[in-house]
Amino acid sequence: MLITEVFKKIKFSMNTDRIGPDIPFTHWKLHYKSSMLKLCKKKFLYFDHTADFRAYAYAIYCSQISIGKNVVIRPNTMLFADDFAKIIIEDNVMVGSGVHFYVNNHKFDRKDIPIIEQGYYPSEEIIIKEGAWLGANSIILPGVTIGTNSVVGAGSVVTKSVPENVVYAGIPAKLIKKIT
Ligand SMILES: CC(C)(COP(=O)(O)OP(=O)(O)OC[C@H]1O[C@@H](n2cnc3c(N)ncnc32)[C@H](O)[C@@H]1OP(=O)(O)O)[C@@H](O)C(=O)NCCC(=O)NCCS
């Protein structure tokens, strides 16, 4: 019955380790600063009081995600951690809208069974160091660290770690200039 489903969904929303528009009974809280902060401080591993998590952004395994000082997570961003690997966003990092972070890959070595049944390779942590800037719609893949004060161009796919004070862009992301 619909009413039972609604109550189940409310309970799920309160306890699930995720935030996003697909969790409507907590998602509305992102529209107001005080309720956003209360929700994020409860759900995330760390959420600084100066950070902002905007409506229409998603976070999965919030308890494994740390969001530092002055960080704004904008609409259509996807932070996808898991039980085995964290996503750490340090202080003063800028994240454009629609940036995706993933800490794991599906296994796909076997031909005899579907990928959906093969499990995962070991998950790998993502770290975005202090003061970096991730351009809109960039994708940060498992195991990547973005160095302090580095820039990732819009739409880039970052497959390997990026050193500090550089600009990387493209698919796969490559060095386009050093910040001197
Ligand atoms: C990465 C970026 C900051 C670089 O700006 P810039 O230093 O002025 O770089 P340039 O425009 O001089 O480009 C240098 C080279 O990199 C290439 N390049 C720049 N941005 C690129 C991108 N996002 N993807 C692929 N290549 C890119 C340019 O085509 C150019 O290549 P060329 O030398 O072969 O002509 C900028 O292009 C960018 O992507 N900004 C992100 C904007 C954004 O997401 N805003 C959201 C606000 S939070």
Side-chain angles (χ1 to χ4, degrees), residues 159-178:
T159 57
K160 296 192 173 96
S161 290
V162 169
E164 58 183 29
N165 297 310
V166 291
V167 181
Y168 266 50
I171 302 176
K174 296 249 160 65
L175 179 72
I176 63 169
K177 61 177 80 163
K178 290 184 177 167

Side-chain angles (χ1 to χ4, degrees), residues 52-118:
D52 195 359
F53 193 95
R54 301 260 165 93
Y56 303 104
Y58 296 77
I60 297 177
Y61 284 90
C62 299
S63 59
Q64 296 279 83
I65 300 171
S66 173
I67 312 274
K69 195 169 76 177
N70 296 329
V71 175
V72 179
I73 303 298
R74 296 187 163 77
N76 300 322
T77 287
M78 166 61 83
L79 291 153
F80 202 138
D82 69 17
D83 270 336
F84 310 102
K86 296 182 172 56
I87 297 172
I88 310 288
I89 302 183
E90 294 186 354
D91 295 345
N92 301 312
V93 166
M94 291 201 298
V95 182
S97 52
V99 177
H100 284 220
F101 304 74
Y102 297 99
V103 299
N104 62 40
N105 282 310
H106 293 280
K107 276 191 180 170
F108 50 85
D109 303 317
R110 295 180 57 171
K111 295 193 287 188
D112 55 330
I113 52 173
I115 291 172
I116 198 170
E117 290 171 15
Q118 292 188 38

